[in-house]
Amino acid sequence: MQPAKDAPAPECAEVSVRLPETVAGLGTRHTNAQATGAWGNPSAVLLRCGVPSPPPTTDRCISINDVDWIEDPSEAPRYRYTTYGRTPAVEVVIDAESGVSGMTALTDLGEAVNYLPKTGACVGADDLLELEGATPAPTDSAAPTASGSAN
């Protein structure tokens, strides 16, 4: 693994010392790169602290235990999750072919990641309307709903 650009940040040290021994039932693996973590044999969950914080996006955002994650499925079945509204940011790569649940892995990592300073949060369309002082229009109950929220 290669360390992220801001891996030496003191906030990443706080995350690193709090990383759990197991993630999604997988044991920890030794890494030799600063502010990184790996679980499974072969590694199914990889973490790097110190990646750039993502800008506002319309990509899917998932909130788990007060940590917001932007999901990047472009390399599926490898999914990349990056914290949103945390500086520095954490990136987690999960190999779904290994049978690891992304939600379980992110939940297990949440306590350590919560030590990063919170600088923002995901918002959805209703949140934006509230910020602008508008009221959401009534929705048709038969209409599909979004599975994630936009930023």
Side-chain angles (χ1 to χ4, degrees):
M1 292 183 70
Q2 294 296 317
K5 179 181 174 248
D6 290 331
E11 297 86 353
C12 286
E14 291 292 328
V15 170
S16 294
V17 299
R18 289 173 172 79
L19 291 176
E21 288 294 315
T22 60
V23 170
L26 303 173
T28 190
R29 298 209 37 188
H30 174 73
T31 63
N32 59 1
Q34 186 174 9
T36 62
W39 294 266
N41 189 12
S43 296
V45 179
L46 303 171
L47 175 144
R48 292 187 324 146
C49 184
V51 300
S53 298
T57 180
T58 57
D59 292 345
R60 182 176 184 214
C61 185
I62 304 162
S63 294
I64 302 173
N65 297 337
D66 202 33
V67 178
D68 293 341
W69 300 91
I70 302 295
E71 181 183 64
D72 177 0
S74 65
E75 296 177 22
R78 288 183 55 189
Y79 291 84
R80 184 176 314 274
Y81 296 91
T82 306
T83 54
Y84 184 80
R86 304 278 175 158
T87 302
V90 166
E91 170 187 83
V92 175
V93 177
I94 299 170
D95 181 1
E97 284 188 324
S98 67
V100 171
S101 160
M103 296 307 110
T104 301
L106 297 177
T107 299
D108 291 350
L109 294 167
E111 186 175 332
V113 172
N114 248 327
Y115 279 87
L116 293 172
K118 192 171 186 178
T119 58
C122 293
V123 296
D126 289 347
D127 298 317
L128 293 175
L129 289 172
E130 287 177 24
L131 290 173
E132 295 172 0
T135 339
T139 58
D140 179 357
S141 61
T145 58
S147 60
S149 56
N151 296 317

